[in-house]
Amino acid sequence: MPIFTLVAGARPNFMKIAPIIHAFQKSQKQGVEVGFRLVHTGQHYDKKMSGDFFDQLNIPEPDANLGGGGGTQAEQTAAIMVAFEKELMENRPDLVIVVGDVTSTLACSIAAKKLQIDVAHVEGGIRSGDLTMPEEINRMVTDSITDHFFTTSEIANTNLRKAGVAEEKIHFVGNTMIDTLMAQLPNFRKPEGEIFEKVTPGNYFVMTMHRPANVDQEQSLKAMIDAILSGTGGLPILFPVHPRTAKNLQNLGIDASNLHMCEPLGYLEFNYLVKNAKGVITDSGGVTEETSVMNVPCITLRDNTERAETIHLGTNELVGTDPKKLKPYLDKIMNGEWKQYQGIPLWDGKTAERIVNILIETYS
């Protein structure tokens, strides 16, 4: 019986692994002999950033928690590698499945390959071309040693082919994040709190910012928020604040009655707000995928993206990090002139089933 180890570390990972777990469970119920083990590296250790996701997405408690949170990038990578190597030696699988592009993805891939264990990368092949982003380095290193690439787009396939990856290793399956989104749509729920009771669908913006280029320089952050405030016509702006951003915002002294900062939200609450928003302003890659499928206008405050399909076929526009460029895009949203979702191939809610079928066929 093949045994697979799934790795989750940070918040975005949980949305990506949940449907894979459910697909394995479905196969088991159908009598397929397959086993899996869920390892949480502990990279995100705040309950809102991790624990809630296990509850909301119906993921079983992890078989192991490596406790690898905290410290610098290097310290975190090292701690996860040491702990995951021990986990693999005690519970050796046929294959390790990593998702996304966080520190855990890189660390666990390296640990597995050094023990001659195959690695599958879910969301392999995506590239931003920006080596100042830790995630880009994580993707490149992981993909350089991966055995099976499960890709979200033809763009990712092309990136892998250009890097010399053999065709039989590339499996174009779609996007497991969208599996989760489609499965959980009926369960979205309004967050608790006075401000959330006051806003009405289609009459507010949602904002998220966490990338260093946007939040580490106080004056740049202030200029961006000022540009957002001036371009959104006084509509409420709901801003779940990432812990990294919260520290920098404390010193800015921004006083705007329509800017509502709150704690990070659970998956179901956050996406309830996104689904009903007039528009979303973000620097997150994953949010651009969800807004596209839900046909919600999305402005990305980055100079590059690893998810170009959300621009070509989705509702995302890459605006950059210069606040002066923001106004025409906000005007389009305010005037109801934003582009519509065109449909992205295989983003149909069935990606995890395709992944699990390929793995069972390959390793049985």
Side-chain angles (χ1 to χ4, degrees), residues 150-227:
F150 293 106
T151 62
T152 59
S153 71
E154 192 53 49
I155 297 169
N157 300 341
T158 300
N159 290 337
L160 292 170
R161 291 180 192 119
K162 284 180 180 174
V165 174
E167 197 67 39
E168 62 268 19
K169 291 185 174 186
I170 301 171
H171 310 283
F172 178 30
V173 291
N175 190 335
T176 59
M177 281 259 293
I178 304 307
D179 287 19
T180 293
L181 183 74
M182 291 183 171
Q184 295 296 338
L185 265 169
N187 303 323
F188 289 174
R189 58 194 186 211
K190 186 185 290 187
E192 293 180 2
E194 187 180 348
I195 181 54
F196 305 119
E197 293 299 328
K198 287 182 178 177
V199 296
T200 55
N203 283 304
Y204 64 87
F205 283 81
V206 171
M207 178 164 72
T208 76
M209 274 199 277
H210 72 281
R211 295 192 184 275
N214 286 325
V215 304
D216 279 3
Q217 299 297 320
E218 286 183 6
Q219 289 312 306
S220 300
L221 178 58
K222 185 175 189 308
M224 184 62 81
I225 290 178
D226 284 344

Side-chain angles (χ1 to χ4, degrees), residues 107-153:
C108 294
S109 299
I110 294 172
K113 287 303 291 184
K114 289 206 170 189
L115 291 172
Q116 280 91 56
I117 298 170
D118 285 359
V119 171
H121 186 196
V122 174
E123 209 180 74
I126 68 173
R127 296 288 184 272
S128 69
D130 183 358
L131 284 170
T132 67
M133 293 173 62
E135 296 94 333
E136 184 74 353
I137 294 164
N138 294 342
R139 292 176 202 122
M140 293 171 70
V141 175
T142 300
D143 282 348
S144 71
I145 56 175
T146 289
D147 298 282
H148 298 283
F149 301 84
F150 293 106
T151 62
T152 59
S153 71

Side-chain angles (χ1 to χ4, degrees), residues 35-337:
F36 68 91
R37 186 172 170 83
L38 176 59
V39 174
H40 181 6
T41 67
Q43 182 181 331
H44 275 172
Y45 47 93
D46 177 275
K47 179 157 175 66
K48 278 286 180 198
M49 299 289 274
S50 61
D52 279 1
F53 279 61
F54 286 93
D55 301 332
Q56 292 193 353
L57 303 181
N58 193 27
I59 306 171
E61 284 295 310
D63 297 288
N65 190 318
L66 306 184
T72 67
Q73 295 259 343
E75 288 168 338
Q76 199 170 72
T77 303
I80 293 169
M81 284 181 70
V82 169
F84 192 57
E85 181 183 59
K86 186 166 182 273
E87 155 69 24
L88 290 176
M89 289 193 289
E90 292 173 358
N91 301 281
R92 186 182 178 94
D94 295 283
L95 173 86
V96 168
I97 303 167
V98 296
V99 298
D101 51 23
V102 297
T103 303
S104 300
T105 310
L106 166 75
C108 294
S109 299
I110 294 172
K113 287 303 291 184
K114 289 206 170 189
L115 291 172
Q116 280 91 56
I117 298 170
D118 285 359
V119 171
H121 186 196
V122 174
E123 209 180 74
I126 68 173
R127 296 288 184 272
S128 69
D130 183 358
L131 284 170
T132 67
M133 293 173 62
E135 296 94 333
E136 184 74 353
I137 294 164
N138 294 342
R139 292 176 202 122
M140 293 171 70
V141 175
T142 300
D143 282 348
S144 71
I145 56 175
T146 289
D147 298 282
H148 298 283
F149 301 84
F150 293 106
T151 62
T152 59
S153 71
E154 192 53 49
I155 297 169
N157 300 341
T158 300
N159 290 337
L160 292 170
R161 291 180 192 119
K162 284 180 180 174
V165 174
E167 197 67 39
E168 62 268 19
K169 291 185 174 186
I170 301 171
H171 310 283
F172 178 30
V173 291
N175 190 335
T176 59
M177 281 259 293
I178 304 307
D179 287 19
T180 293
L181 183 74
M182 291 183 171
Q184 295 296 338
L185 265 169
N187 303 323
F188 289 174
R189 58 194 186 211
K190 186 185 290 187
E192 293 180 2
E194 187 180 348
I195 181 54
F196 305 119
E197 293 299 328
K198 287 182 178 177
V199 296
T200 55
N203 283 304
Y204 64 87
F205 283 81
V206 171
M207 178 164 72
T208 76
M209 274 199 277
H210 72 281
R211 295 192 184 275
N214 286 325
V215 304
D216 279 3
Q217 299 297 320
E218 286 183 6
Q219 289 312 306
S220 300
L221 178 58
K222 185 175 189 308
M224 184 62 81
I225 290 178
D226 284 344
I228 291 166
L229 287 168
S230 69
T232 48
L235 288 178
I237 299 168
L238 308 180
F239 187 7
V241 181
H242 190 283
R244 174 190 194 94
T245 314
K247 294 176 186 175
N248 298 329
L249 285 168
Q250 286 172 355
N251 305 321
L252 291 180
I254 291 174
D255 183 22
S257 60
N258 61 319
L259 179 63
H260 305 281
M261 291 180 268
C262 64
E263 294 284 312
L265 296 167
Y267 178 81
L268 300 178
E269 292 82 5
F270 177 72
N271 275 299
Y272 173 91
L273 294 180
V274 169
K275 183 176 185 294
N276 292 289
K278 188 174 190 70
V280 173
I281 303 161
T282 188
D283 58 9
S284 161
V287 171
T288 68
E289 297 176 326
E290 292 161 337
T291 50
S292 285
V293 172
M294 290 191 284
N295 201 28
V296 176
C298 183
I299 287 173
T300 296
L301 305 176
R302 287 172 54 187
D303 295 315
N304 50 63
T305 179
E306 62 285 349
R307 294 168 170 88
E309 62 274 14
T310 65
I311 298 169
H312 304 320
L313 298 170
T315 60
N316 181 31
E317 289 286 6
L318 196 64
V319 174
T321 54
D322 182 353
K324 297 186 187 72
K325 294 181 178 176
L326 200 51
K327 188 176 185 305
Y329 293 94
L330 289 172
D331 287 348
K332 273 191 175 181
I333 295 178
M334 295 298 290
N335 296 330
E337 298 168 353

